[in-house]
Amino acid sequence: MKEIILCKYGEIVLKGLNRGHFENLLEQDMRKRLKKVGSYHVTRAQSTLYIEPLDDFSDIEDAIRCAKKVFGFVSISRACVCEKNMDSILAAAKEYLPPLLAGAKTFKAEAKRSDKTFALKSPEISALTGGAVLEVMPRLKVDVNHPDVTVRVEIRETAAYIHAGAEKGAGGIPAGCAGKAMLLLSGGIDSPVAGYMMAKRGCTLEAVHFESFPYTSERAREKVLELAKLVSEYSGKIRVHVISLTKIQETLVKTCEEEYFTLLLRRFMMRLATKTARQVGAEALITGESLGQVASQTLQAIGTTDAVTDIPVFRPLIGMDKEEIIQIARKIDTFETSILPYEDCCTVFTPKHPKTKPELCKVEAEEAKLDVAALEAEAMLTMTTHTFALY
C-alpha cells in the first residue's frame, strides 16, 4: 500500500500575495533536509507539502522526523493513498487503519472534501468510513466527542488520503524569511530557547558567546557549541562567534565597585554583540532574559544595558516563568546539555550584592573609570568562529 506524508501549512496560508515566497522557502528547507536521509518526491498543493519515498532505502519515519523540525508546518500526517472512489477508500481503510487503532477503545471518522466534485459529501464519507472500520474491528466504539483516535479521509485534487491522527508540527514561519539576528548564547537554559523561538519567527541566527578562559573551561565552551548544534537542527545554519571577556572582567575587578560588576559586564556584552552583529549583517540582538529572574534582569537593569545599543533587542522569554522555559528546552532537547555543571563567564567574579535598581548615571560614572574602547577592541581580536550547518 502506497504511503505518503502530508505536511500542512500553518499561518503561511494568511500571507496573501506573498504566500508563494513563504511556500518556496518552506519547500526548499524540507528538500535540503530530506537529501540527508534518502530520496523523496516532494510536491505541494492545497496548503500541503506532499512527501513520497522513492525507494526502499528512504524511510518514511526519517522524513517525518525531519518534517517535525521544519518551521512552517502545523501538522504532520502519515497517510495511505488511494483512488478517489468510495470502493477504494473503504478497502484501503479496512486494510490500513487496524494497526493504527490497535490500542484504542474509541474512535471517530472525519472527512474533508477539498475536491467539491466528489459525489458524496463529508458526513456521508465519514459515516461510510466509520462503518468500514467497525466491520473489521467490531470491538471499537464510536465516540464523537473524546475519541482515542480520529480517523480522517481527505478527498484532494488527485487522490484520496487516509490517516489516523496527526503529529504536531513545529509551527511558526519558514526559516530565513524574517532577516538575521544575533543571539547572545550562554551555557544556560534560557538563551537556546530564546534562539529557537526567534528562529520559529523566521530569523536567521548568528550567535555570540562570551567566555573567560582560564576561569571558564574548554568543556564550558564545548557545551555551548553543542547547544548551538541542537538549535541548528531547527534553525538551519548557525555561526557561533566566541569572544573572550577575561581582560575586561579582570579590569572591572581592579577598577570598579563590586556591586556594579554584573551591569558593567552586561553593557560590554551588548556593545560587543552589536559590533559582531554589524560585521555579519544582523539587524537585531536576541537575549534569553526573563523579567525579574536574576539581578541583571530587572526593569532598571535592562534599561541600563539597552542604553548601549542602537539596534532592536528581542527578548522572547521576557514574560515567561522558569518552568515554561524549561518545558520548551525539554521539547527541543537542549535542557540536558544546558544543565551540565560547567561554569560560564557570568558566574565569574559575581558580586555578593549586585545592584538591582541601578541609576544609569551612576553606572556610566563607574564605566568612565575604564578605557572602554580599548577593552572592546582587544576583546574583538580574540574572536573565533564555529559553524554548524544542517545542510
Side-chain angles (χ1 to χ4, degrees), residues 6-58:
L6 306 176
C7 303
K8 297 185 180 181
Y9 304 165
E11 63 184 270
I12 291 177
V13 299
L14 306 176
K15 295 301 180 182
L17 296 176
N18 293 322
R19 176 171 167 172
H21 169 68
F22 289 90
E23 289 182 333
N24 287 336
L25 289 174
L26 184 59
E27 182 177 341
Q28 289 169 17
D29 190 5
M30 191 70 249
R31 285 181 180 276
K32 289 174 181 177
R33 290 170 186 261
L34 288 173
K35 282 183 179 179
K36 296 187 67 177
V37 297
S39 180
Y40 301 86
H41 181 59
V42 179
T43 56
R44 70 184 196 226
Q46 295 179 308
S47 303
T48 302
L49 202 70
Y50 301 77
I51 303 171
E52 179 185 352
L54 292 178
D55 54 50
D56 293 337
F57 302 103
S58 301

Side-chain angles (χ1 to χ4, degrees), residues 229-254:
K229 181 180 178 182
L230 291 169
V231 174
S232 75
E233 292 179 10
Y234 291 89
S235 66
K237 181 178 177 181
I238 294 180
R239 290 191 301 174
V240 183
H241 310 280
V242 180
I243 297 175
S244 173
L245 294 182
T246 304
K247 179 65 178 293
I248 290 172
Q249 289 182 283
E250 291 174 341
T251 304
L252 287 174
V253 170
K254 294 175 184 176

Side-chain angles (χ1 to χ4, degrees), residues 31 86 98 141 175 177 199 280 330:
R31 285 181 180 276
M86 284 310 302
K141 293 184 178 179
C177 69
V280 301
R330 290 187 185 279

Side-chain angles (χ1 to χ4, degrees), residues 141-308:
K141 293 184 178 179
V142 175
D143 183 343
V144 297
N145 295 313
H146 304 288
D148 293 334
V149 179
T150 298
V151 170
R152 290 183 172 86
V153 178
E154 299 188 32
I155 311 296
R156 291 175 169 260
E157 287 181 346
T158 59
Y161 302 89
I162 302 170
H163 54 95
E167 296 190 61
K168 192 173 182 180
I173 55 179
C177 69
K180 185 184 293 186
M182 178 65 66
L183 170 67
L184 280 73
L185 181 63
S186 72
I189 296 169
D190 302 340
S191 58
V193 173
Y196 162 83
M197 291 182 70
M198 293 311 302
K200 185 176 180 178
R201 300 311 306 162
C203 282
T204 298
L205 297 182
E206 299 262 346
V208 59
H209 172 65
F210 299 105
E211 65 177 9
S212 299
F213 187 82
Y215 305 106
T216 57
S217 65
E218 280 293 328
R219 286 189 174 183
R221 177 193 284 201
E222 290 168 2
K223 169 185 171 180
V224 170
L225 297 180
E226 176 62 21
L227 288 170
K229 181 180 178 182
L230 291 169
V231 174
S232 75
E233 292 179 10
Y234 291 89
S235 66
K237 181 178 177 181
I238 294 180
R239 290 191 301 174
V240 183
H241 310 280
V242 180
I243 297 175
S244 173
L245 294 182
T246 304
K247 179 65 178 293
I248 290 172
Q249 289 182 283
E250 291 174 341
T251 304
L252 287 174
V253 170
K254 294 175 184 176
T255 311
C256 300
E257 292 186 29
E258 182 183 9
E259 63 186 355
Y260 289 99
F261 286 175
T262 301
L263 290 167
L264 293 170
L265 184 63
R266 289 290 297 173
R267 282 165 66 90
F268 272 107
M269 288 179 176
M270 295 295 274
R271 279 191 293 257
L272 292 168
T274 301
K275 289 177 182 291
T276 308
R278 287 204 170 95
Q279 287 184 4
V280 301
E283 300 172 280
L285 304 182
I286 304 168
T287 77
E289 291 162 306
S290 173
L291 187 62
Q293 187 177 120
V294 295
S296 64
Q297 296 177 17
T298 64
L299 280 175
Q300 296 87 345
I302 289 172
T304 64
T305 56
D306 275 7
V308 300

